[in-house]
């Protein structure tokens, strides 16, 4: 199995960033990726160009790095369009402090909202459901959360709730922009 088919997690992509001399978190670009896939169906080549530009390189350092970055795009698209609605933002996991996890969510949200601001004109926004408009409005506030939080069960629950809200907003945007995908309820095709 090639790296492009492997499941990518936050640490895998962060390692690729480090290999390219970048200390930035992948969370911001993951937010951008999610919104781009929802609004523009960003191609693999365009995605690779955006990541390389963000990393300050002309192209990925090696084939395995390119495969990981392309696998990241593919797995995000598959998760957004899957009928089981299991999309999860690429964020720091339990190996990181709650403050680092909150910072990742904040950065993801900023990347997501940035693409919406760049791409979605008023005509498109008017076609969105009230639920989607409200969810996206909430995300704008989420991009300003305080990330200096203690590791406590209460903060962990709050962060889980905020992450779930961001996840649902992302899936709602994707499904409204791609009617019929995912096909959560599939009726049997009529037989003629």
């Amino acid at each position: 199995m090639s790296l492009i088919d492997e499941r990518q997690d936050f640490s895998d992509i962060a390692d690729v960033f480090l290999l390219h001399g970048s200390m930035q978190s992948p969370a911001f670009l993951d937010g951008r990726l999610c919104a781009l896939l929802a609004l523009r169906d960003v191609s693999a080549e365009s995605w690779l160009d955006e990541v390389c530009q963000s990393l300050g390189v002309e192209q990925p350092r090696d084939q395995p790095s390119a495969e990981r970055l392309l696998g990241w795009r593919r797995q995000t698209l598959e998760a957004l369009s899957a009928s089981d609605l299991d999309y999860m933002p690429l964020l720091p996991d339990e190996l990181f402090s709650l403050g680092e996890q909150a910072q990742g969510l904040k950065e993801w949200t900023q990347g997501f909202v940035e693409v919406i601001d760049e791409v979605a004109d008023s005509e498109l926004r008017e076609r969105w459901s009230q639920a989607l408009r409200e969810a996206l409005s909430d995300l704008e506030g989420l991009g300003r959360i305080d990330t200096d939080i203690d590791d406590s069960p209460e903060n962990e629950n709050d962060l889980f709730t905020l992450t779930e809200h961001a996840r649902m907003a992302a899936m709602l945007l994707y499904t409204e922009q791609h009617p019929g995908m995912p096909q959560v309820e599939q009726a049997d095709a009529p037989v003629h």
Side-chain angles (χ1 to χ4, degrees):
M1 174 161 61
S2 76
L3 289 174
I4 203 166
D5 294 324
E6 265 183 42
R7 176 101 180 114
Q8 312 298 319
D9 66 18
F10 182 85
S11 295
D12 293 329
I13 302 302
D15 288 347
V16 172
F17 281 24
L18 283 173
L19 185 64
H20 289 81
S22 175
M23 296 288 291
Q24 68 179 306
S25 164
F28 178 81
L29 281 178
D30 190 65
R32 285 191 56 83
L33 172 61
C34 180
L36 284 167
L37 288 169
L39 294 169
R40 283 195 178 156
D41 294 325
V42 66
S43 70
E45 183 179 318
S46 295
W47 175 243
L48 209 50
D49 288 346
E50 179 160 341
V51 174
C52 287
Q53 183 178 356
S54 179
L55 296 176
V57 297
E58 287 186 30
Q59 61 187 17
R61 180 178 174 162
D62 53 30
Q63 187 64 29
S65 295
E67 287 183 13
R68 281 222 185 268
L69 296 172
L70 291 172
W72 175 18
R73 178 196 166 275
R74 184 191 51 72
Q75 100 182 8
T76 302
L77 180 58
E78 287 175 0
L80 285 168
S81 63
S83 61
D84 55 5
L85 303 175
D86 70 348
Y87 168 76
M88 285 301 296
L90 192 73
L91 299 172
D93 59 21
E94 65 277 350
L95 298 175
F96 296 83
S97 71
L98 280 184
E100 291 168 321
Q101 292 176 48
Q103 182 64 34
L105 178 59
K106 181 178 184 174
E107 290 171 3
W108 183 93
T109 303
Q110 290 168 340
F112 188 85
V113 169
E114 182 178 271
V115 168
I116 290 171
D117 290 344
E118 290 171 4
V119 174
D121 59 18
S122 58
E123 184 180 320
L124 175 61
R125 291 172 189 254
E126 286 175 20
R127 292 193 307 257
W128 290 343
S129 69
Q130 183 64 31
L132 177 57
R133 287 195 296 264
E134 288 174 9
L136 296 177
S137 176
D138 291 344
L139 285 187
E140 290 176 10
L142 192 52
R144 297 185 296 272
I145 63 169
D146 181 13
T147 60
D148 185 21
I149 59 174
D150 298 325
D151 286 343
S152 71
E154 186 176 284
N155 285 339
E156 186 175 0
N157 288 338
D158 290 346
L159 185 59
F160 174 81
T161 301
L162 293 173
T163 302
E164 186 65 12
H165 191 72
R167 182 181 89 81
M168 295 305 292
M171 289 187 339
L172 187 56
L173 177 64
Y174 185 86
T175 56
E176 284 199 19
Q177 293 301 119
H178 298 84
M181 291 182 64
Q183 294 182 356
V184 179
E185 295 179 19
Q186 290 186 332
D188 291 337
V191 179
H192 295 280

